Amino acid sequence: MTSQWLFTGLVLLVGVERLAELIVSKRHAAWAFSRGGVERGQSHYPVMVVLHTGLLVGAVAEVWLADRPFVPALGWVMLALVVASQALRWWCITTLGNQWNTRVIVVPGLPLVRRGPYGVIPHPNYVAVVVEGLALPLVHTAWVTALVFTVANAALLTVRIRVENDALREIASPAGAPTGATP
């Protein structure tokens, strides 16, 4: 029972982190729009919000309602992956600065960001999202939530990455634009 409370606390901390992201995102959106930023993909954004909220709610509900155990060999590894995914996410946010957003907003004429994690792989924030979505529920063996989120998120990311790449090609300068729209 104690591990369930600790897991609930962990998920609440992730929820607080997500709220911090939304505050940063709102500030960055204002910055982008003041510089002529153009938004794309508005129709999938509410789905993304519901899916990410469902991850948090579903993980806690599954642990409590299905009485999922904490398995140390799995839980500690998954917790390390959750922490690593948060570190990668905030590395992405700090690397992109004002160009990072939870929405797909592209400011025409800005160059493509190719430093930090963006110099290594395309869309590194989505790597963080995928890892976190699988690992967070598995900290306390909420495997149904991990599976459902991972499958639904794969479908959503297929749309999201296409929208983001199209927006960058359409709106960006010939030299490129930021890859800053991330969940």
Side-chain angles (χ1 to χ4, degrees):
M1 184 75 71
T2 300
S3 67
Q4 290 172 318
W5 283 110
L6 291 172
F7 179 73
T8 301
L10 172 65
V11 173
L12 288 172
L13 284 173
V14 171
V16 168
E17 184 279 332
R18 292 288 174 85
L19 292 174
E21 283 183 34
L22 291 174
I23 291 167
V24 170
S25 178
K26 186 173 182 171
R27 193 172 349 160
H28 290 178
W31 177 90
F33 289 135
S34 75
R35 285 157 179 80
V38 178
E39 184 173 6
R40 294 287 190 264
Q42 298 94 321
S43 63
H44 77 266
Y45 189 75
V47 175
M48 187 174 72
V49 171
V50 168
L51 181 62
H52 284 254
T53 302
L55 169 67
L56 303 179
V57 172
V60 171
E62 182 177 349
V63 164
W64 284 94
L65 297 174
D67 197 29
R68 298 286 189 226
F70 176 75
V71 178
L74 176 65
W76 292 116
V77 171
M78 293 300 110
L79 181 60
L81 288 174
V82 169
V83 171
S85 69
Q86 293 298 326
L88 176 57
R89 173 178 284 118
W90 283 96
W91 186 19
C92 293
I93 292 169
T94 57
T95 298
L96 290 173
N98 287 328
Q99 296 171 326
W100 179 87
N101 205 288
T102 60
R103 296 156 50 188
V104 178
I105 304 172
V106 178
V107 178
L110 291 180
L112 182 65
V113 173
R114 297 186 188 273
R115 64 186 185 285
Y118 293 90
V120 180
I121 58 173
H123 306 292
N125 193 75
Y126 300 139
V127 171
V129 170
V130 168
V131 170
E132 180 190 63
L134 183 65
L136 180 62
L138 291 178
V139 167
H140 213 289
T141 65
W143 63 270
V144 172
T145 302
L147 179 64
V148 169
F149 177 84
T150 298
V151 170
N153 190 52
L156 178 62
L157 282 179
T158 300
V159 171
R160 174 70 173 210
I161 290 171
R162 181 181 39 78
V163 166
E164 186 173 313
N165 287 340
D166 289 350
L168 291 170
R169 276 191 298 277
E170 176 190 341
I171 301 163
S173 68
T179 56
T182 55

